[in-house]
Amino acid sequence: MNLNQLLVWMVCLSCGIFLFQALRVSKAQARGWAVVCTAILAIVGVLMFLKPDLAGWIGGLLWSIFFVAPLAASRQVNQFFFQERYAEAFRLARFVCYLHPADGWREQVKLLQALALSQAGQRDRALEILQTDCSPNTALGRSATAIGYWMNANWLGM
């Protein structure tokens, strides 16, 4: 077994297992991962027929860019968030948003941007961003509303 074949197996197994788990969970965030895994598996499958000597290399590259990098970056975003380093979390989340636009990262970027602006002393601009997304029907809207109350120190309203 050469490195190309090993990469094919690694990509197919990891994407297949992740796809299986994503399909079992019916969250909106899992849909984006399911699309990414399906696309990578489809590309590797087609390449196995057209250019089998390149399938592992191209699949491994796609897997690294659209699977491994976003997973590692989202873990780092969470670490920045819990360390209250909102500006760094915002910048990194914006990067992940380009790799996974269907996973709800756009909304998370807005929340992190509002937190970063508030931390930088631009509370009015932060509240303006939050008010555009304050629909009580979504988890994002409820989070934005709660953060808005927190920024205003309106504990009774919360």
Side-chain angles (χ1 to χ4, degrees), residues 7-8 10-11 40 44 54-65 68:
L7 285 171
V8 168
M10 183 179 66
V11 168
I40 292 172
V44 170
L54 293 177
W57 297 106
I58 294 173
L61 179 67
L62 292 173
W63 179 75
S64 297
I65 293 171
V68 176

Side-chain angles (χ1 to χ4, degrees), residues 73-127:
S74 65
R75 182 173 182 255
Q76 187 63 46
V77 166
N78 288 336
Q79 284 183 343
F80 285 150
F81 177 80
F82 289 121
Q83 294 170 353
E84 296 182 7
R85 296 167 56 188
Y86 301 124
E88 290 96 341
F90 164 66
R91 284 193 294 274
L92 190 54
R94 197 171 42 186
F95 168 73
V96 175
C97 181
Y98 292 121
L99 297 177
H100 278 266
D103 286 341
W105 277 100
R106 289 182 196 157
E107 293 81 13
Q108 291 179 22
V109 167
K110 290 178 185 177
L111 287 177
L112 291 169
Q113 181 183 19
L115 288 168
L117 288 170
S118 176
Q119 194 174 49
Q122 300 178 21
R123 192 174 64 95
D124 293 334
R125 176 72 180 117
L127 288 170

